[in-house]
Amino acid sequence: MARTAEGIPGAPHILIVGGGYVGMYTALRLQKKLKRELKRGEVKVTVVDPNAYMTYQPFLPEAAAGNISPRHVVVPLRRTLPLCNVRNARVTEINHDERWAIVQPLAGPPERISYDYIVMASGAVPRILPIPGLAENGISLKTVGEAIHLRNHVLAQLEIAESTDDEEIRRKALTFVFVGGGFAGVEAVAEIEDMTRDATKYMRKVTPRDLRFYLVEASDRILPEVGPDMGKWTAEQLRGRGIDVKMKTLLQSAVGGNIELSDGSAFPAGTLVWNAGVKPSPVVKASDLPLDDRGRIKATEYLTVEGVVGAWTAGDNAAVPDLTQDGMFCPPNAQHALRQSKLLGDNIVRALRGKSLKPYAHNNLGAVAGLGLHKGVANPMGFKLKGLPAWWFHRTYHGMMVPTFNRKMRVLADWTLALFFKRETISLGTIEQPRADFELAATDEVKQLEATKADRAA
């Protein structure tokens, strides 16, 4: 495998903050367009991200439901970007005026690295509101680790209900609350409900009628991206599956797992999933780059940072003007992030070669959402699809868009095997406490040793 050259002294250094959609795809574009320069060390590209992989987030609900292996929704950065320097670290401070950034490695002291150009692609983190009990009891679905945890946690709740006769414990364990009616929230509740329904087939005491699912949305509709009619149809479909869709409703408290909603309802729940919006990664505030009133980096239509030389941005952490709609900004979704990153890479190359930059203009291609196995909703290019056709289009689109041929084939293999074999519904909760048995055994050994010493002393 080719490796990045050490670089010629004075060679332009491009620092990419974040290895998600924008970060990885921008680096891929630079790797393609500057292949010879990177090999000769005439240009250097460094990608900094705490993880060694990029996560294809549209597949997280399916990973949480067990339709796709979690390993297949992530793309290894080092293997994908052999001509770039990939550093597993977190950028904690940026001084663009002096062209340096502070990087905190996974181990050891922080380091200061210099650069000539910077790409802010740090993405977004969940927007957590100051709701009592939310931070202690909630979980999001932004990372592959959260998808694995959510799957194990939900299946463990079913096991709790199956193994007890205490009605209060059963009711709490079998109540699942999802907050947020956007893509992440709707796909998550639909996939998890589908999985739990499958899991109850192998249980004696838990039936689908015992499951209580709630989808809580503050606005008056869900899935606004697919349009009002399709959003209304989706809500009706979810309600038909026994999911209580509460619109114009807010979560007010979750202390001790006791859910209180603004419509006056209150009940205990063993699972609380929070998908009610995102905010830019904290690193953008630790920089001297201009921000808008929502904490996003101000971007131009050329994907440069407004009023700043040598800085570029796109994706969730950026306010990119939407040239197709006056006064609007591009929504923070995968469709825009992918296309922005390609143009961003091209514009950096143009800047290096003294050429004029091109503006980002993109018409919305529509939206697709999976609602469990063989169920979905979509409006590609203005066409309205529901049920099985929408589910097929959802899988086809994302199967094509997931990065690298390797991951495409692995995801396809997962889907193909699912046609012939039943879904696994086993909780591997011990993964989160892998040393529990070892520590228990060690504790027993200590007790036995102390008992032996006491006997000898007697």
Side-chain angles (χ1 to χ4, degrees):
M1 180 182 291
R3 294 189 178 276
T4 308
E6 289 300 320
I8 298 172
H13 182 203
I14 303 169
L15 173 64
I16 301 178
V17 181
Y21 274 106
V22 175
M24 191 195 77
Y25 278 112
T26 298
L28 271 174
R29 199 69 169 181
L30 293 173
Q31 191 172 255
K32 177 181 179 181
K33 297 287 186 176
L34 300 173
K35 185 175 182 178
R36 287 178 295 182
E37 291 89 339
L38 286 167
K39 285 185 174 181
R40 292 195 295 254
E42 297 171 356
V43 176
K44 297 181 292 183
V45 175
T46 299
V47 180
V48 180
D49 193 279
N51 299 311
Y53 53 82
M54 172 264 197
T55 302
Y56 191 71
Q57 292 186 352
F59 279 158
L60 289 179
E62 287 203 57
N67 298 329
I68 300 176
S69 169
R71 293 176 301 165
H72 299 163
V73 305
V74 297
V75 180
L77 292 176
R78 297 186 194 282
R79 184 188 304 175
T80 308
L81 304 171
L83 299 180
C84 301
N85 178 27
V86 176
R87 298 195 61 178
N88 287 150
R90 188 180 301 276
V91 176
T92 59
E93 184 182 352
I94 297 169
N95 187 322
H96 185 69
D97 188 48
E98 298 181 8
R99 299 294 201 280
W100 56 257
I102 301 298
V103 173
Q104 176 60 62
L106 299 180
E111 305 172 22
R112 177 193 283 198
I113 59 176
S114 300
Y115 64 85
D116 298 289
Y117 301 91
I118 191 169
V119 177
M120 291 299 296
S122 55
V125 296
R127 183 186 60 189
I128 307 300
L129 300 181
I131 299 172
L134 173 60
E136 295 80 7
N137 297 287
I139 182 175
S140 183
L141 192 56
K142 288 281 291 177
T143 69
V144 68
E146 289 174 331
I148 294 171
H149 169 75
L150 181 59
R151 171 178 169 78
N152 288 328
H153 171 79
V154 167
L155 293 175
Q157 295 300 300
L158 298 185
E159 295 293 346
I160 289 173
E162 177 73 5
S163 60
T164 183
D165 292 323
D166 188 306
E167 196 55 38
E168 290 186 8
I169 294 177
R170 282 172 52 82
R171 178 176 290 273
K172 180 176 182 179
L174 297 177
T175 301
F176 309 89
V177 179
F178 291 72
V179 182
F183 273 114
V186 170
E187 289 191 315
V189 70
E191 292 285 358
I192 295 299
E193 187 274 339
D194 200 55
M195 178 190 72
T196 55
R197 188 176 293 274
D198 273 355
T200 59
K201 295 176 182 178
Y202 310 102
M203 295 183 170
R204 297 185 176 216
K205 296 166 63 176
V206 178
T207 69
R209 293 189 302 274
D210 299 322
L211 304 173
R212 295 174 179 83
F213 279 86
Y214 295 87
L215 177 61
V216 180
E217 167 56 34
S219 69
D220 60 352
R221 61 175 176 168
I222 62 172
L223 287 184
E225 297 88 349
V226 299
D229 293 340
M230 301 295 276
K232 182 179 179 181
W233 179 87
T234 302
E236 292 172 353
Q237 293 298 307
L238 296 179
R239 289 182 175 125
R241 290 162 56 175
I243 300 172
D244 190 348
V245 181
K246 292 178 174 288
M247 288 183 262
K248 295 183 179 180
T249 306
L250 302 173
L251 174 67
Q252 293 187 325
S253 177
V255 176
N258 295 306
I259 304 299
E260 295 180 13
L261 303 178
S262 61
D263 65 356
S265 56
F267 48 85
T271 303
L272 173 61
V273 183
W274 179 265
N275 286 300
V278 296
K279 64 180 181 181
S281 174
V283 70
V284 301
K285 290 185 178 180
S287 74
D288 55 354
L289 300 174
L291 307 180
D292 69 359
D293 57 358
R294 295 175 58 182
R296 301 173 300 182
I297 300 172
K298 294 181 179 180
T300 70
E301 65 270 29
Y302 303 102
L303 305 180
T304 59
V305 176
E306 187 177 294
V308 178
V309 177
W312 311 75
T313 189
D316 293 354
N317 67 182
V320 179
D322 188 346
L323 298 184
T324 66
Q325 301 183 67
D326 289 339
M328 301 294 289
F329 296 96
C330 296
N333 58 34
Q335 183 181 143
H336 280 287
L338 173 61
R339 288 160 177 79
Q340 287 172 2
S341 59
K342 290 182 178 179
L343 179 66
L344 197 159
D346 288 345
N347 274 348
I348 291 177
V349 174
R350 291 188 182 99
L352 290 173
R353 294 173 178 171
K355 298 181 179 179
S356 60
L357 307 183
K358 291 186 177 181
Y360 176 75
H362 168 68
N363 290 318
N364 193 351
L365 298 179
V368 294
L371 303 176
L373 285 175
H374 310 135
K375 298 176 281 287
V377 61
N379 64 346
M381 304 298 291
F383 294 97
K384 297 180 180 180
L385 300 177
K386 305 174 183 177
L388 182 62
W391 173 81
W392 179 85
F393 187 88
H394 172 268
R395 286 206 162 179
T396 301
Y397 174 78
H398 286 300
M400 293 171 57
M401 296 308 297
V402 65
T404 77
F405 180 77
N406 180 301
R407 286 305 181 265
K408 285 179 171 62
M409 291 298 101
R410 290 181 184 274
V411 168
L412 181 61
D414 285 342
W415 286 340
T416 303
L417 289 173
L419 297 174
F420 303 99
F421 300 100
K422 295 180 179 179
R423 170 167 35 194
E424 292 289 352
T425 53
I426 301 171
S427 172
L428 298 177
T430 53
I431 287 177
E432 296 171 33
Q433 294 180 322
R435 298 184 69 252
D437 287 343
F438 182 85
E439 291 172 354
L440 179 61
T443 301
D444 287 341
E445 289 296 326
V446 171
K447 289 181 179 178
Q448 290 181 17
L449 181 60
E450 290 176 348
T452 302
K453 291 180 178 178
D455 289 341
R456 290 176 179 174

